[in-house]
Amino acid sequence: MKQDDETQRLDATDARLLDRVQRGIPLDPRPFAVLGREIGIDEADCLARLKRLGPGLGIVRQISAIFDTQSLGYASSLVAAKVAPQHVDAAAAVINRHPGVSHNYLRGHAYNLWFTLALPPDSRLGLDATLARLVELSGAESARLLTTLRLFKIGVKLRIGSDGDDEATNAPQNMPPGASNQEASNDPAAFTEADRQTASAHALDDRDKRLILALQQNLPLATQPFDDWAKQANCSVVELLAAAQRFLDRRQMRRFSAVLRHRKAGYSANVMTVWDVPQTDIERVGRIMAKSAAVSHCYQRPVYPDWPYSLYTMVHGQSREHCLATLESLRNQTGLDRFLPLWSLHEYKKVRVRYFTPEIQAWEEQYGQVSSSS
């Protein structure tokens, strides 16, 4: 397995720690002491390693609550845009300025710019008008919304260690009981349509939103990292952690964990693949793909007359060959022959959506008027 220089510098304890923090951070006033005990080191060593793995080597991108966008009442969609190749960098820069754009990638296709767009419940424009404005501002030739019709799985975990642990048996400490289900039976950390339906039964109030504002930040690498967040939310640490567990139980939060930078973690290739699946077969195929540990995302999305692809998967691998082997395995398991790999050629943006902040409203006030010529 080919690895980046950063991963070659990791020892076995670093690898165990990276595997563990991806599964979940303990909701404890001193989470790094708990983590250290679990993997056989003390709190100071745990913090020192995470500082090196995060700010030092850049392998850890962020440690925070990972909320489900739609479960918080946000409208969201994947967007495919067609941009003249000579203008794609400039177009991406314009699109990236929208605060609701969290991911933006160049992919090898005529529709070459793929990004995610999320808008709060009080958005004045909504998805259609926002996309129309982004097309106009960026100079894209065309773009289409690819909303989620069915979520089969989302749950990224990059295996770093090689200690033989079965990730299927290592559910995050802060995952609620029953979070695993048949749609992703080999991955208790995966989030599915059933979880989203659970979340839909719980409305958010103003206090919830204030707590989410605190929990969505990058966790400080300190002995008592939740103290400042509790002050910001005007509550005690106990109340803050109880709220985090409540969001997990409601499935509005997918998990509280670390997110790694894929390439620096040794996963140099990733491919979003679109599959031409008959409508009558989507349930069967979606369940098969969601059960694959190599598949981190699996969605059903709309088809168009010139775009028959209804199922989308994301695979990360240590090499392009590893990804191709995974796709071949999925093809053999499902019997599908019509699919299109869309390789990630360049990452223009990858951040967390910031929920219940004023930035999107400010963008709409500044850029929301579509010109009469559009």
Side-chain angles (χ1 to χ4, degrees), residues 16 138 151 256:
R16 289 199 304 274
S138 67
L151 167 61
F256 194 107

Side-chain angles (χ1 to χ4, degrees), residues 2-210:
K2 182 180 179 181
Q3 294 182 313
D4 288 355
D5 291 341
E6 287 86 350
T7 55
Q8 292 176 9
R9 295 166 62 181
L10 304 183
D11 62 23
T13 301
D14 289 332
R16 289 199 304 274
L17 181 58
L18 287 172
D19 283 338
R20 179 62 184 86
V21 295
Q22 288 182 85
R23 298 201 308 269
I25 300 296
L27 295 177
D28 184 275
R30 300 187 70 159
F32 303 112
V34 177
L35 281 174
R37 286 196 298 271
E38 288 185 12
I39 64 172
I41 59 177
D42 62 24
E43 181 182 41
D45 191 9
C46 183
L47 280 166
R49 288 174 183 272
L50 285 173
K51 289 175 183 178
R52 180 170 57 85
L53 295 168
L57 296 176
I59 296 173
V60 177
R61 184 187 294 269
Q62 185 170 345
I63 300 175
S64 70
I66 301 174
F67 289 98
D68 181 62
T69 300
Q70 292 189 28
S71 296
L72 299 187
Y74 274 59
S76 65
S77 183
L78 178 67
V79 177
K82 183 185 294 185
V83 181
Q86 65 270 28
H87 301 310
V88 69
D89 289 346
V94 170
I95 291 167
N96 286 353
R97 287 201 290 267
H98 191 290
V101 172
S102 58
H103 296 63
N104 192 357
Y105 293 94
L106 178 68
R107 299 193 181 278
H109 189 265
Y111 279 90
N112 49 356
L113 208 55
W114 294 74
F115 60 94
T116 56
L117 177 63
L119 299 174
D122 59 355
S123 168
R124 179 171 58 85
L125 294 179
L127 288 173
D128 289 327
T130 298
L131 181 56
R133 192 69 181 109
L134 287 172
V135 167
E136 182 183 37
L137 290 167
S138 67
E141 297 174 13
S142 63
R144 57 180 43 152
L145 292 169
L146 296 163
T147 54
T148 298
L149 301 179
R150 172 78 183 271
L151 167 61
F152 286 97
K153 176 185 181 182
I154 180 170
V156 180
K157 182 182 181 299
L158 306 178
R159 174 56 62 87
I160 306 299
S162 56
D163 55 9
D165 287 346
D166 180 0
E167 70 178 85
T169 65
N170 292 326
Q173 177 172 326
N174 59 20
M175 287 293 293
S180 63
N181 57 59
Q182 292 180 352
E183 290 182 343
S185 59
N186 70 329
D187 188 356
F191 188 91
T192 71
E193 189 70 26
D195 295 308
R196 189 163 279 172
Q197 291 174 4
T198 297
S200 68
H202 302 282
L204 297 173
D205 57 26
D206 289 341
R207 182 173 181 273
D208 289 330
K209 294 175 183 178
R210 186 173 71 249

